[in-house]
Amino acid sequence: MPEQSNPHIVILGAGPIGLEATLYARYLGYQVTLLERATSVAANVQEWGHVQLFSPFGMNASTLGVAAIQSHFPNWTCPAADLLQTGADYIEQYLQLLSETDLVASSLQTGVYVVAVGRAGWLKTEGVGDPERAKAEFHILVRRRDGSEQLITSDMVIDCTGTYGNHNWLGSAGVPALGEIASARKITYSLPDVLGQDREQYLGRHTLVVGAGYSAATVVTQIAQLASDAANTETKATWVTRHSGPPLSRIPDDRLAGRDALAIAANELASKSDNCITHRGGTGITSITYRDPTDDFEVVFEGEQADMFTFDRVVANVGYRPENRMYSELQLHECYASGGPMKLAAQLAAQKGNAADCMDQVSYGPESLVTTEPGFYILGSKSYGRSSNFLLSIGLQQIRDLFTILGEREDLDLYATMPAIGS
């Protein structure tokens, strides 16, 4: 860390972890600039705002955040620790309020796109292992909504931008399926609100859903619910997974009841032949072509159920990956498998961090957050690379761990100094 009493930290991304990290840093007296690409905070969460989180509020909020909101908004009622919120409720009842507290609001800049991050006076190939490189400030090139550009300097950078929105591809080798790039603007790679604002796009339509995770299961169960509520026999879905057998593997004695209920419901739909859901296991996508005149897709399957079909809609819940172009000029060692920072990736692999149950995740300590580019850190879901097992509670632990390094105090824990949520 640069040798000055009040370093400047630039935090990228005003999602849950970016907001919490900003509050923690400001509380400790750091100068902080929080940059958010969207015009509002928690934009990624808003994209799936209609979906209920599996984890309760007490796992998704910090004691420091609750204390800050209570101080700024005396009439605020803190949600119960065991409350299961939708993404929209989480924003309205916590994240938006957190962004308006004094310490966070004064640091936040929205509508700012980060183009690139580099090290002043050093190219990527220069100064490998040279302590002088670590002393150089960071240069962050940003572009604002009006098209103007600015160079921001900082002593440290914390990337909390997440992975949502940077989707994987449908092709079986991880590359785009034939025709996918040309059709991508019409493919849904996120979680549509099938029972709400997107209802008319799916009512009376045949939808292809690709993916073997809880996002795909959510879409499938909602399409089934839509078909039942509307008594519409034309509302149906074909659910494609790469592996055979039940689409989702249930977790024994699942501690998240909502997650287990979804797995049961989705697998039951997939196992029956007399409903609106057809499951095609052991199947991949060879090609996909959006046909503009007819507003539909021609899709060729490969594998156990190779064939060609036509669909009205395509939902590709195939996961997300880190976007690393912004820091391609930094000397960051990334895992060859997950794409996450190497130290943490190695810990996750060694401790079976990619196991099925995200509730088994733990924080791997401050040293796991140190990267090969001094002063540059990755927190939140992006730190897990392509793994979907990240929990918001882990992100809060990462914040605590990181500032024990920056503050050079192993016992530093602001969360422990605040009353427990719901107390």
Side-chain angles (χ1 to χ4, degrees):
M1 189 175 77
E3 296 179 358
Q4 58 184 82
S5 59
N6 200 13
H8 177 212
I9 303 175
V10 167
I11 297 177
L12 312 180
I17 305 306
L19 291 169
E20 296 275 10
T22 298
L23 176 64
Y24 206 103
R26 287 298 312 277
Y27 197 93
L28 291 172
Y30 291 91
Q31 304 174 63
V32 180
T33 301
L34 174 59
L35 303 177
E36 169 55 45
R37 180 176 184 174
T39 55
S40 60
V41 300
N44 286 347
V45 177
Q46 192 63 61
E47 286 290 318
W48 47 266
H50 58 287
V51 178
Q52 187 180 75
L53 285 86
F54 294 137
S55 55
F57 176 74
M59 291 181 62
N60 305 328
S62 73
T63 55
L64 185 63
V66 167
I69 295 174
Q70 288 175 330
S71 175
H72 193 86
F73 299 99
N75 295 325
W76 176 66
T77 300
C78 179
D82 61 354
L83 178 66
L84 295 176
Q85 299 170 299
T86 64
D89 289 340
Y90 181 39
I91 294 174
E92 180 182 356
Q93 298 169 9
Y94 183 71
L95 296 178
Q96 181 61 43
L97 298 175
L98 181 59
S99 74
E100 295 173 9
T101 58
D102 293 335
L103 294 179
V104 178
S106 58
S107 298
L108 176 62
Q109 298 182 27
T110 60
V112 181
Y113 172 66
V114 177
V115 180
V117 181
R119 202 111 209 186
W122 300 86
L123 302 180
K124 185 180 185 72
T125 57
E126 298 174 339
V128 178
D130 189 336
E132 291 301 311
R133 180 185 175 96
K135 297 178 182 179
E137 63 186 5
F138 288 97
H139 280 189
I140 302 112
L141 177 64
V142 302
R143 183 181 300 122
R144 301 185 183 276
R145 289 270 166 169
D146 61 5
S148 63
E149 293 185 342
Q150 179 186 1
L151 194 65
I152 299 175
T153 62
S154 72
D155 303 304
M156 289 172 278
V157 177
I158 304 175
D159 184 355
C160 302
T161 54
T163 60
Y164 191 85
N166 192 43
H167 61 79
N168 292 324
W169 297 101
L170 285 169
S172 61
V175 300
L178 293 172
E180 183 178 1
I181 293 175
S183 304
R185 64 186 178 87
K186 290 292 185 177
I187 299 172
T188 299
Y189 293 94
S190 57
L191 272 165
D193 188 1
V194 174
L195 299 176
Q197 65 180 12
D198 300 324
R199 184 176 187 273
E200 295 305 315
Q201 297 183 36
Y202 296 90
L203 181 63
R205 307 295 180 91
H206 187 184
T207 301
L208 170 63
V209 181
V210 184
Y214 294 101
S215 293
T218 297
V219 175
V220 167
T221 54
Q222 288 188 347
I223 289 175
Q225 184 65 51
L226 177 62
S228 175
D229 291 347
N232 188 306
T233 58
E234 298 302 312
T235 303
K236 53 189 177 181
T238 295
W239 188 5
V240 167
T241 58
R242 295 176 61 196
H243 65 268
S244 303
L248 272 70
S249 297
R250 289 182 61 194
I251 297 169
D253 301 317
D254 198 336
R255 287 158 284 180
L256 298 175
R259 179 174 62 181
D260 193 41
L262 176 60
I264 292 172
N267 285 341
E268 183 177 359
L269 287 169
S271 67
K272 294 182 177 180
S273 58
D274 60 348
N275 59 48
C276 63
I277 306 300
T278 300
H279 176 230
R280 294 180 177 271
T283 302
I285 308 297
T286 296
S287 69
I288 180 168
T289 304
Y290 172 70
R291 303 187 297 190
D292 190 48
T294 52
D295 189 29
D296 60 14
F297 297 84
E298 183 180 275
V299 182
V300 177
F301 294 160
E302 62 183 10
E304 295 179 12
Q305 303 194 45
D307 209 336
M308 184 179 74
F309 294 90
T310 299
F311 299 96
D312 300 302
R313 294 287 179 266
V314 175
V315 178
N317 293 140
V318 289
Y320 302 97
R321 64 179 71 188
E323 168 55 72
N324 59 11
R325 284 179 296 181
M326 74 170 74
Y327 51 75
S328 61
E329 201 59 30
L330 298 181
Q331 295 177 350
L332 196 70
H333 187 192
E334 297 171 307
C335 176
Y336 53 80
S338 71
M342 192 63 211
K343 272 195 173 183
L344 180 56
Q347 289 284 346
L348 288 169
Q351 302 297 327
K352 298 182 179 179
N354 292 313
D357 192 355
C358 61
M359 291 291 286
D360 290 332
Q361 296 298 307
V362 297
S363 173
Y364 292 97
E367 284 303 313
S368 69
L369 304 176
V370 175
T371 72
T372 46
E373 185 67 72
F376 185 86
Y377 305 93
I378 300 176
L379 304 185
S381 61
K382 194 171 187 177
S383 70
Y384 270 46
R386 298 193 188 195
S387 172
S388 61
N389 279 356
F390 175 78
L391 281 172
L392 289 170
S393 57
I394 293 296
L396 297 177
Q397 293 177 51
Q398 288 180 335
I399 294 169
R400 178 201 61 199
D401 287 346
L402 175 60
F403 282 94
T404 65
I405 297 176
L406 303 187
E408 299 180 347
R409 283 180 50 193
E410 291 184 6
D411 62 342
L412 179 60
D413 185 355
L414 295 181
Y415 299 146
T417 67
M418 302 294 163
I421 296 175
S423 62

